[in-house]
Amino acid sequence: MCVRVLLVEDDERIRQALSLALSDEGFAVDEAGSGEVALRRLDAEPFDVVLVDLTLPGLDGLDVVRTLRARGDLPIIVVTARADARDMIAGLEAGADDYVTKPLMGDVLAARVRALLRRRGPGRDAVRVGDLEIRPQEGLVHRAGERVHLTRTEFRLLLELAGAGGRIVTREQLLHKVWGYDYFGDTRLLDVHIRRLRRKVEANPDHPQLVLTVRGSGYRIPS
Amino acid sequence: MRLTLRRRVTLSFTLGLLVVTGVLALSTWNLATGYLLRQREASATRQAELDARLATTSTALSDLLTGPDSAILVLGPRGTRSAGRPVDPALLPAALLDRPPGTARITVDGAPMLVVALPLPGEDVYVELFGLRHLHRTFTFLGLALAAATAGAALLGVALGGWASKRALRPLAELGSAAGRIAGGDLRARLPDQDDPDLAALAAKFNSTAQALEQRALRDARFASDVSHELRSPLTTMVNAGAVLRRRGEHLRGTAGTALELLTSEVDRFARMVVDLLEISRADQTDDPPPEEIALDALVRDVVAAREPVPLDLEPAVVLGDRRRLDRVLTNLLDNAERHAGGAVLVRVRTCGDRVRLSVEDAGPGVPEDLREEVFERFARGVMAGSRGDDTGSGLGLALVREHVHRLGGRVWVEGRSPVGARFVVEMVLRSSDG
């Protein structure tokens, strides 16, 4: 299976170099020089993952992410030049699944993409926690009988937590299993996703009953 | 020993007040005693004149005595008559007896006396002695009172001087503490506005200097950040193009292959350096998330799990801080051990009172004692010149460790390890040890 990647980046040299490196990693890379071009291409063709530079001329990278997220759960990786927490969190809040900062290496980016596209473990039975019913086979989540729309990353995060049978899952384990991080770094990526997940599955996201924070170590879903 | 400014101000106050009150006390003493003596002399003379007239009219001398201390003598060629306290005529001043009338003060048997001599008709001289004990007691009391007042004034001077100097020097103390804060790295320290025109100028100058310094430091930090930032785009192109080339390295043998290897590895190092530079220029900024409780032992286990296995010796310990910084500290220390000492041999977490120590030990060549501060400086690579391997770091790894540890409110140092090697120790405040 060939993974189709759309690379949205205005700097032509970076675009070419990344495109070469990702092709070397076995991806089919298409390039877009602006947000407008990217959205047009995504309308016309199917892609497996989109890499979006946040600083684009014209349509801003954040707007591209927001538009794409409103359309569906296409995996999005944000590429930021600034490593400021604000930019990164804004990108994740807009709906990105992961982020990388420049200078980024093609192989690191490839690992990120592969982690994002990893299929859920086969043969898992449906899991019930609280009033949530998770069906890993179909990738569906129902809350009190009603369908909840989760992105692929949110789904895998929920599944990791629900599958632990009430045990604590540390932040590092989550980063490793969901995002494929083997360098345990920024857990803000996780914080933002937990926030997003709570907004969708909790009755009151400010007072979570389901996805509980275990101070100092991680999260757990009581079984 | 030089006195402090405050002491000197206090001392001048005290001395000044002492001199003024001393002069005042002395003149008061002189005026008061002189006046009282003159009064006493005048009244004694009047009394003696009266008594002398009575003495000529054959009144008994003893009837004329005014008190137990007094004495009367009538001296003449026909002999001496006396009454009252016995007084040796030889004690009386000769000049007074030769040329009466006159007065003099003498001491008889330790008692002060006033002598009044008056001529009597004929060759006789009437001499009356008055006791001055009362007057002298008054003088003693006056003297004591004046001395006490002078001493009191001196004490007041000390207190007043101390208070005034403290008040006057308060802006200086503020200046000192503000300068201290700036020296300690807090470039936002300023002096409060001063009412006094002299001090206002000083405060304004100090504040403008501090502001210039702060802006300059900010400008420098921004410049480093901007430079690193601008380097990111070309670096992204370079590292990726390099990676593509490296994959095809087998097609390039010999000189070209070596050159390619050199180029790509240096580009990688350059990229790491830029990333670290950005991190260090960001380390000063305050975009930290609110500090959270971190289980240090669990964090160590997780970080090490992703690397070459290292023996662990962990006690449960919870600290407060930013997880990202702590991750980076441990990762950099492990990287450092790998780069210079063939890898860490032990990672230990030990609680000690209200502190917790995270130490990374290696069995490498160790760090010479005189370089143990220097290794934490930026680009202190000359220090490790002998141990540079193929995989050289950015030269910022340990400097970043120090920055992060400072931001975490702890301290870091390196010590010798027996028999060989180095032990890098990070000490932080322990939140709790219940894991």
Side-chain angles (χ1 to χ4, degrees), chain B residues 260-381:
Chain B
L260 173 66
E261 184 50 42
L262 276 174
L263 188 66
T264 51
S265 67
E266 283 303 278
V267 165
D268 288 350
R269 183 153 72 93
F270 190 24
R272 274 201 301 276
M273 203 183 291
V274 167
V275 169
D276 280 356
L277 258 177
L278 272 169
E279 173 127 12
I280 216 159
S281 68
R282 223 174 44 225
D284 298 334
Q285 293 165 18
T286 49
D287 65 342
D288 269 17
E292 54 171 329
E293 287 185 345
I294 305 163
L296 190 56
D297 48 324
L299 180 138
V300 171
R301 223 172 275 125
D302 286 330
V303 171
V304 172
R307 313 173 56 103
E308 295 281 302
V310 175
L312 301 178
D313 176 9
L314 307 176
E315 275 182 11
V318 176
V319 294
L320 210 56
D322 178 3
R323 182 179 294 269
R324 191 181 60 90
R325 290 187 189 276
L326 210 46
D327 273 349
R328 192 67 201 252
V329 165
L330 182 55
T331 307
N332 281 11
L333 286 178
L334 291 170
D335 282 348
N336 182 69
E338 250 163 47
R339 196 162 289 138
H340 299 294
V345 295
L346 181 67
V347 178
R348 187 194 293 260
V349 171
R350 275 266 178 281
T351 58
C352 175
D354 62 345
R355 308 256 145 188
V356 58
R357 282 183 181 178
L358 163 67
S359 55
V360 175
E361 298 184 10
D362 64 57
V367 182
E369 209 150 330
D370 52 333
L371 296 178
R372 286 182 186 170
E373 270 295 314
E374 218 177 310
V375 290
F376 292 103
E377 298 293 330
R378 298 175 185 188
F379 300 116
R381 47 202 2 215

Side-chain angles (χ1 to χ4, degrees), chain B residues 187-208:
Chain B
L187 295 180
R188 275 166 303 179
R190 295 286 184 276
L191 281 178
D193 286 337
Q194 305 288 337
D195 301 331
D196 192 295
D198 296 334
L199 294 173
L202 177 69
K205 186 139 281 177
F206 179 89
N207 285 346
S208 67

Side-chain angles (χ1 to χ4, degrees), chain A residues 76-78 92 96-100 112 116 179 181 189 193:
Chain A
I76 305 167
I77 298 181
V78 156
L92 292 172
D97 293 280
D98 201 351
Y99 77 96
V100 283
R112 290 281 90 83
L116 214 52
W179 284 273
Y181 273 53
L189 172 68
H193 272 90

Side-chain angles (χ1 to χ4, degrees), chain A residues 5 23 31 38 78 82 88 122 157 163 178 186:
Chain A
V5 178
S23 304
E31 299 171 24
V78 156
R82 299 212 168 267
M88 181 261 289
L157 184 58
V178 178
D186 209 327

Side-chain angles (χ1 to χ4, degrees), chain A residues 13-14 17-18 21 24-25 81-83 102-106 171-172 182-188 215-216, chain B residues 229 232-233 235-237 239-240 244 247-248 275 282 287 292-293 295 302-303 306 323-324 327-328 331:
Chain A
R13 288 204 179 82
I14 296 181
L18 270 179
D24 255 13
E25 296 282 343
R82 299 212 168 267
K102 291 178 187 172
L104 58 129
M105 308 277 279
R171 296 157 163 274
E172 288 77 10
D182 49 8
Y183 169 73
F184 300 98
D186 209 327
T187 54
R188 283 174 284 200
R215 284 212 297 168
Chain B
H229 183 69
R232 279 168 179 247
S233 296
L235 263 177
T236 306
T237 310
V239 289
N240 286 293
V244 171
R247 260 172 200 273
R248 289 157 181 75
V275 169
R282 223 174 44 225
D287 65 342
E292 54 171 329
E293 287 185 345
D302 286 330
V303 171
R323 182 179 294 269
R324 191 181 60 90
D327 273 349
R328 192 67 201 252
T331 307

